[in-house]
Amino acid sequence: MQTVTKLTQKQIVKSLFSFIFGAVGFYLVFLIMILIHEHPSGFSAYFLTQRKQLITIAVSVVVVMTMLYCYFFFENKAVLAKLLKTTELFLILYLGVFSVFLLSVYVNVFARPVAFVALMCATFFHRRDAIFVNTIFSLLMLVIDNFAGLTNIEIYIEGYACFLCNFCAGIVAVFVFGSIKSRFQCIILAFILLIPVEVTNSVIMLPLGEFNAQQSVDLVIFGGLSCVISVMLFMFVLPLFEKIFAEMTVFRLREITSDGVKLIKKLKEKAPGTYSHSVVVSQLVEACAKAIGEDAELARAAAYYHDVGKLKGPEMFAENQTEYNFHDDITPELSVDIIRSHTRNGAQLIQKSRLPEFFADVAVQHHGTMPIKYFYYKALKMSDGELNIENYSYSGPIPESKIAALIMIADSAEAATRTLPDRSPEKIEAFVRGIIEERLDLGQFDNCNITMRELTIIKSTLVSQLSGVYHSRVVYPKLTISKKK
């Protein structure tokens, strides 16, 4: 998610309306809950007998939504800047409230999926955002539990128990989720969630005088069921959100960088040199992203696809050529058109394959507006006068994210290091430093907010990684050993 420091007036108006509609959506969800719930006196009688409580709920929803809006306005404006993101947020909350209601009514009040909202928010939002949204969700459920009379909670202490259980289990889920890197590990998460769920429920319910052995068994069984359902519901809903909202989760990113993906498979078969280059660049970029605090999984995945445009005429690119070079028989101008078109072609292939739009952005930005010096120099030798270097440069735009800038540097550094006769750390360091300084001088990093400190870290990381990849090897003696007879 890109950082947004200031909202335009139009974005503020849109975000306000989205939160108003979001609050209205809560009333609709609540109305559906009332319709599902079989009230003894009937639907109309429910509104008459519960009118004061319903007013409390209505006002509470407005207050809570105002708190939520203020949080994002001051802490993470990027969520408010995109209507799709606020829609996603409210849909998570709706699903959370409705699933809690259904489990409370038809199974047991302690079987509710208390960590579902926290897990979803930890996946799609920042950690701090997820903690705050989990708090908001817990408050909403406390209000509904205590004033709606829909979730089989007959004494207030159980309502507070559920609030604390929602809050504590959600907080644990948010912090533990950062270590989850596969869908299988989510199953382990269910067992971890047992600790806050069982401890919180037990401690809060102890003061009840009628808390017997059967209730203890129910607490353990349904508390465990709550953890399992939270994770299962999360794993079921997650792919739908990934598809609908084009989210790039760690699970999705790993899936689309496997060898079985159609575009990667084509790259491996038709452009093996480009594929090999992309794999090395992805490793370099992943290490650099970790070093400067960027999303390493996203950077790695984007690097896999940065050169897929070379699938259109792979033989025109040096890494896929053997002995014959097609550019020897064509003009420098035509060569430049072919070479620079791979950025645009890559973006089109990515979009056609319905891969994340971020990958397409990286594909067109990873060369920025850099000159294609080899063919510019070749054209200079063939001409009498000066040439406009812009005609021999990539079309841009320049990188608009730090990850795109990372890939720009790593792409050039990896390709150039292959050609160095001396690959000592000192030579590589000088070469990488030159690559970064050249792009700085040409203004390639003006739109991506990358700092000099981060560029220094990137340089050091690349030197370390490239020295390891292209280290000197022992020269083996030319000796043939025959099998003993």
Side-chain angles (χ1 to χ4, degrees), residues 278-459:
S278 298
V279 170
V280 177
V281 169
S282 71
Q283 293 170 352
L284 298 175
V285 169
E286 183 179 16
C288 291
K290 283 181 182 176
I292 65 170
E294 285 294 302
D295 189 332
E297 292 285 349
L298 178 59
R300 173 180 169 272
Y304 258 90
Y305 288 90
H306 79 282
D307 267 347
V308 291
K310 292 181 179 180
L311 279 170
K312 292 189 176 182
E315 68 282 352
M316 303 303 292
F317 298 89
E319 68 266 25
N320 300 310
Q321 293 172 351
T322 51
E323 295 179 0
Y324 178 62
N325 186 351
F326 288 87
H327 295 285
D328 292 340
D329 300 327
I330 58 178
T331 64
E333 291 74 20
L334 182 55
S335 292
V336 166
D337 284 340
I338 292 169
I339 296 299
R340 69 182 168 194
S341 68
H342 87 271
T343 59
R344 184 177 62 255
N345 291 338
Q348 290 171 352
L349 281 171
I350 288 166
Q351 290 166 340
K352 189 177 178 181
S353 301
R354 296 183 179 180
L355 290 162
E357 189 66 27
F358 181 78
F359 292 2
D361 294 339
V362 168
V364 295
Q365 294 169 17
H366 79 278
H367 280 297
T369 54
M370 290 295 295
I372 307 172
K373 290 188 286 187
Y374 179 86
F375 295 109
Y376 176 66
Y377 180 68
K378 184 178 178 181
L380 276 176
K381 290 196 296 184
M382 296 171 64
S383 65
D384 297 327
E386 291 186 1
L387 298 173
N388 185 356
I389 196 168
E390 289 184 2
N391 296 331
Y392 297 85
S393 301
Y394 284 98
S395 305
I398 60 176
E400 295 176 1
S401 66
K402 290 182 183 180
I403 289 177
L406 269 179
I407 292 174
M408 168 184 269
I409 299 167
D411 177 52
S412 298
E414 195 281 332
T417 303
R418 287 174 183 257
T419 65
L420 289 177
D422 180 4
R423 295 171 183 170
S424 64
E426 293 75 21
K427 291 290 183 181
I428 293 175
E429 194 273 340
F431 208 82
V432 174
R433 184 176 65 250
I435 287 171
I436 293 173
E437 287 174 354
E438 181 183 34
R439 280 149 185 76
L440 271 172
D441 291 341
L442 295 175
Q444 299 299 300
F445 305 137
D446 290 353
N447 291 347
C448 64
N449 297 322
I450 200 164
T451 65
M452 291 301 297
R453 178 179 177 276
E454 288 170 334
L455 288 172
T456 302
I457 293 170
I458 290 166
K459 182 195 71 175

Side-chain angles (χ1 to χ4, degrees), residues 30 33 53 56-57 60-61 64 96-97 100-101 104 109 112 114 134-151 153 155-167 204:
F30 185 65
M33 289 162 59
Q53 290 87 338
T56 301
I57 292 171
S60 298
V61 168
V64 167
V97 170
V100 164
F101 162 75
S104 298
V109 72
R112 50 173 62 185
V114 292
N134 177 66
T135 305
I136 292 295
F137 171 68
S138 301
L139 287 171
L140 280 171
M141 289 315 307
L142 176 65
V143 171
I144 292 172
D145 284 340
N146 286 337
F147 295 103
L150 298 175
T151 53
I153 293 181
I155 46 178
Y156 281 155
I157 194 165
E158 289 187 352
Y160 295 121
C162 290
F163 165 75
L164 285 171
C165 190
N166 282 341
F167 180 78
I204 296 296

